[in-house]
Amino acid sequence: MSQNGAPDFAELLRSARHTAVHLELRDIYDVGDETGSFDRFLRTGAVDLDPESAQWQGWTPLVREAIGRGVVMRRARIVSTPVTDYIRYEHAMTPVNVAIGEQVRWLPRDRASDIALPGNDLWLIDDRLVLFHFFTGVGDWAGHEFTEDPAVVKLCASAFETVWERGTPHGEFTV
């Protein structure tokens, strides 16, 4: 278990039976495990697109295992335009997410003004569990919170589905 009584993420994803959706709301993240890769992207424009590489080994097996159980994984990102360098980096790496089975859509922030959105990034598992991720102002991890509160789950599910309906599939979204 991790802080606030939430299971760690791998345990949470392994509990999914039908769906796992991720809503991302920030234009910049500065989490430690991406620092080297992001710095290399800024210098060279290159990203690691090998799902078998060391960079992806914390993610690829989890996704493949979930997809193999029939879990539908969707990720929606709300982004400001023009996009930040971090969003360009994230966009450049997203082919790996898609290749291993995630569906990804992008929604420009100016098309989200009338959507009731939660205040933080989140994962919603099977329309029953929410894991909120908290970040500092500069985008580093600041904690998380787990809830099964039906009103919160309903808000998160509604927000995600609205973003998803309006979003542009990754292959059609340019940065």
Side-chain angles (χ1 to χ4, degrees):
M1 296 294 270
S2 59
Q3 80 182 55
N4 298 324
D8 72 13
F9 183 76
E11 182 183 334
L12 186 66
L13 189 54
R14 286 183 188 111
S15 78
R17 296 294 168 246
H18 308 288
T19 60
V21 303
H22 188 32
L23 181 60
E24 297 179 35
L25 305 171
R26 297 182 54 91
D27 287 321
I28 188 165
Y29 296 87
D30 188 19
V31 294
D33 60 340
E34 293 179 342
T35 301
S37 176
F38 182 53
D39 288 345
R40 184 177 70 246
F41 173 77
L42 291 176
R43 284 190 322 275
T44 68
V47 294
D48 182 351
L49 294 178
D50 177 4
E52 307 309 321
S53 73
Q55 178 177 335
W56 289 97
Q57 282 313 297
W59 188 242
T60 300
L62 285 173
V63 173
R64 286 181 172 152
E65 193 272 332
I67 301 279
R69 288 192 328 271
V71 174
V72 175
M73 290 187 68
R74 296 182 294 159
R75 179 185 302 258
R77 295 174 170 143
I78 298 176
V79 296
S80 298
T81 52
V83 299
T84 63
D85 286 340
Y86 184 86
I87 295 301
R88 286 188 316 103
Y89 162 75
E90 201 170 49
H91 186 270
M93 292 187 36
T94 298
V96 173
N97 298 87
V98 173
I100 63 174
E102 285 186 73
Q103 300 169 45
V104 180
R105 292 191 182 180
W106 303 80
L107 181 65
R109 195 169 307 282
D110 62 358
R111 294 190 49 222
S113 297
D114 62 340
I115 302 171
L117 294 168
N120 296 287
D121 287 17
L122 64 91
W123 277 93
L124 173 62
I125 307 296
D126 292 334
D127 287 330
R128 63 182 174 83
L129 316 167
V130 177
L131 178 64
F132 287 110
H133 291 297
F134 306 130
F135 296 90
T136 65
V138 296
D140 200 1
W141 292 110
H144 51 267
E145 181 177 42
F146 176 80
T147 185
E148 294 178 275
D149 180 298
V152 174
V153 168
K154 183 177 179 181
L155 168 72
C156 294
S158 175
F160 182 87
E161 291 305 326
T162 302
V163 170
W164 188 257
E165 289 168 12
R166 292 184 190 180
T168 302
H170 174 73
E172 299 169 24
F173 187 78
T174 56
V175 296

